Amino acid sequence: MASDAPRTLTVDEKFELITANIQETIRPDIIRNVLAVRPLEIFWGTATTGRPHAAYFVPAIKIAQFLRAGCKVKVLLADLHAFLDADKAPEATLEARAHYYERTIGALLRAVGVDLDNLQFVRGSSYQLTPAFSRDLLRLSKRVSVHDAVKASSEIVKSTGDPVMADGIYPMMQLLDEEYLGVDAEFGGIDQRKTFALANDTMTKAMGFKTRAHIMNPMVPGLSGGKMSSSDPKSKVDLLDEPATIQKKIAKAFCAPGKVEGNGILAFIQHVLLPYSQLQSPDGTTTMSVVLKDQIEPTVFRSFSEISAAYEADQLTPQLAKKVVMDGLTKLTTSIRSMFDADVEWQRIAAEAYCQPATPSKCTCTPKEFSKD
């Protein structure tokens, strides 16, 4: 009887899977050298700010690919980074938001087939408040200029006017995260490139720590054409949206006929639905079936280049592309909604985490002090 277990990958195949759909990799040689002798250890960090939305499927798919390539993965719930980023995460909500993110991202990862036994969630405050981390942060602050620190965070931290000290502390803590999590590589969006470049230039020379590789995925366009953001309801689909809401939002999404670049609908197909089909296939093949305009039988696509060619030729119309995303996103979020609806504690955490009064002084959430526990 044939086995459905995925076959063992070669080093080259692991590297290709790790870097699939990636916009840029700094120091890919580190990845190859590690893969030749042992599993790559990598982390992805997310600041626990606004509610995770459909764009989080992009890193979730990459995490699933990392695990398929035999990597050891840590997910950093960056609660202190969230606190440092302007007013995105009031201190009163930090504890609840960290719990909300862990449950939500855990459910999201399960939705794309990730076994949570194969990865580790780490709370930033669990080590960032220790004397050793504080000492290293002070050491690093003597080696990094204010200009370079603020520049490194310029595309990550929300600017509300003149830079504040937190804007510079934010990226320096992220540099140290790599050392304290004991990884070989960090994964993040291309918006973090300045921070990653600073790490590559600084950590060995200034601190004596080993140099890490940095893997960056492109920023997926939102439904309205720009970046998908928690702060812009029109640009995003919430992971807990009902199917009817998802269909309504996707139907209104910006999807210019024949134009692939900057198209959020096609980007979701490229970075989520196609690699998801590959991960679900025992032999690692990519397939997507669509009945195109003026056709009766479905056309099977095996690569995004085939899909983009059909879209540019108006064989795959905006309406058909939207239908593909509607169906795929509804399927992926069904298990997340089901878990949330059945989990009273998760619902309580959500209410506490996103207490959003008109003014902070009216928030009824109980402030909790930072804890090292």
Side-chain angles (χ1 to χ4, degrees):
M1 186 175 187
S3 172
D4 289 335
R7 64 180 180 81
T8 302
L9 303 180
T10 66
V11 169
D12 286 342
E13 288 173 330
K14 290 177 181 179
F15 181 82
E16 289 176 6
L17 190 56
I18 289 167
T19 57
N21 278 334
I22 289 300
Q23 184 164 335
E24 182 180 358
T25 303
I26 299 176
R27 295 297 305 272
D29 58 302
I30 293 175
I31 298 174
R32 285 192 177 275
N33 291 340
V34 171
L35 289 175
V37 295
R38 61 172 173 81
L40 184 76
E41 298 189 32
I42 187 169
F43 94 90
W44 170 66
T46 179
T48 53
T49 53
R51 291 164 64 106
H53 46 73
Y56 279 66
F57 275 111
V58 176
I61 287 291
K62 284 309 307 177
I63 289 171
Q65 290 177 322
F66 296 154
L67 291 168
R68 175 67 184 90
C71 300
K72 295 182 179 180
V73 181
K74 293 178 180 177
V75 174
L76 174 64
L77 303 173
D79 49 350
L80 297 192
H81 279 93
F83 176 67
L84 291 173
D85 191 354
D87 294 320
K88 288 184 180 179
E91 186 175 355
T93 66
L94 289 179
E95 184 74 14
R97 289 194 183 186
H99 285 298
Y100 182 83
Y101 263 66
E102 182 167 358
R103 285 176 183 256
T104 304
I105 292 174
L108 184 153
L109 290 169
R110 288 190 186 97
V112 298
V114 170
D115 182 351
L116 296 190
D117 290 338
N118 295 326
L119 61 80
Q120 178 183 359
F121 283 98
V122 181
R123 186 88 62 88
S125 57
S126 68
Y127 63 86
Q128 291 166 347
L129 295 173
T130 62
F133 190 92
S134 297
R135 184 172 57 251
D136 280 335
L137 184 59
L138 291 175
R139 288 175 57 212
L140 184 60
S141 70
K142 295 174 65 177
R143 301 299 184 94
V144 177
S145 71
V146 173
H147 172 271
D148 288 349
V150 173
K151 178 183 176 182
S153 69
S154 61
E155 294 187 37
I156 307 170
V157 175
K158 181 179 179 181
S159 177
T160 57
D162 291 336
V164 295
M165 290 298 295
D167 298 347
I169 295 172
Y170 188 109
M172 291 197 296
M173 288 176 60
Q174 186 171 346
L175 266 56
L176 291 174
D177 287 337
E178 299 176 355
E179 178 70 17
Y180 277 77
L181 291 172
V183 297
D184 306 302
E186 181 177 358
F187 165 62
I190 194 68
D191 58 339
Q192 298 187 61
R193 192 190 189 287
K194 293 176 181 176
T195 298
F196 292 165
L198 181 62
N200 187 64
D201 295 339
T202 303
M203 297 309 286
T204 299
K205 181 171 59 177
M207 300 291 289
F209 297 151
K210 75 176 186 179
T211 301
R212 270 79 181 187
H214 295 90
I215 305 169
M216 290 160 275
N217 64 272
M219 304 308 294
V220 174
L223 302 182
S224 56
K227 176 183 175 182
M228 192 175 290
S229 170
S230 297
S231 60
D232 182 5
K234 294 181 180 179
S235 77
K236 71 181 181 77
V237 172
D238 193 275
L239 295 175
L240 298 176
D241 279 343
E242 295 292 336
T245 302
I246 292 174
Q247 292 176 14
K248 183 177 180 181
K249 288 182 176 180
I250 298 298
K252 292 182 178 180
F254 176 78
C255 189
K259 185 176 180 182
V260 175
E261 186 176 353
N263 189 318
I265 295 297
L266 292 187
F268 195 84
I269 293 174
Q270 178 184 7
H271 293 282
V272 178
L273 298 183
L274 280 179
Y276 175 71
S277 75
Q278 182 185 32
L279 288 166
Q280 295 302 299
S281 171
D283 61 358
T285 57
T286 300
T287 58
M288 189 181 82
S289 299
V290 185
V291 178
L292 299 178
K293 184 175 69 174
D294 301 328
Q295 294 188 6
I296 299 176
E297 297 297 323
T299 296
V300 178
F301 295 101
R302 302 190 184 280
S303 69
F304 183 71
S305 61
E306 293 178 359
I307 292 172
S308 58
Y311 191 79
E312 290 174 334
D314 198 37
Q315 295 171 325
L316 177 65
T317 65
Q319 291 74 25
L320 290 173
K322 288 181 179 182
K323 180 67 165 54
V324 169
V325 172
M326 284 180 192
D327 293 345
L329 194 50
T330 299
K331 176 183 176 181
L332 287 171
T333 55
T334 294
S335 63
I336 301 175
R337 286 191 303 275
S338 296
M339 282 186 275
F340 180 80
D341 290 342
D343 192 333
V344 175
E345 178 63 10
W346 188 359
Q347 295 168 28
R348 184 198 66 76
I349 290 169
E352 183 179 347
Y354 295 98
C355 171
Q356 297 177 331
T359 59
S361 62
K362 294 182 180 179
C363 183
T364 59
C365 302
T366 303
K368 296 181 180 179
E369 294 182 354
F370 295 132
S371 172
K372 293 181 283 186
D373 299 330

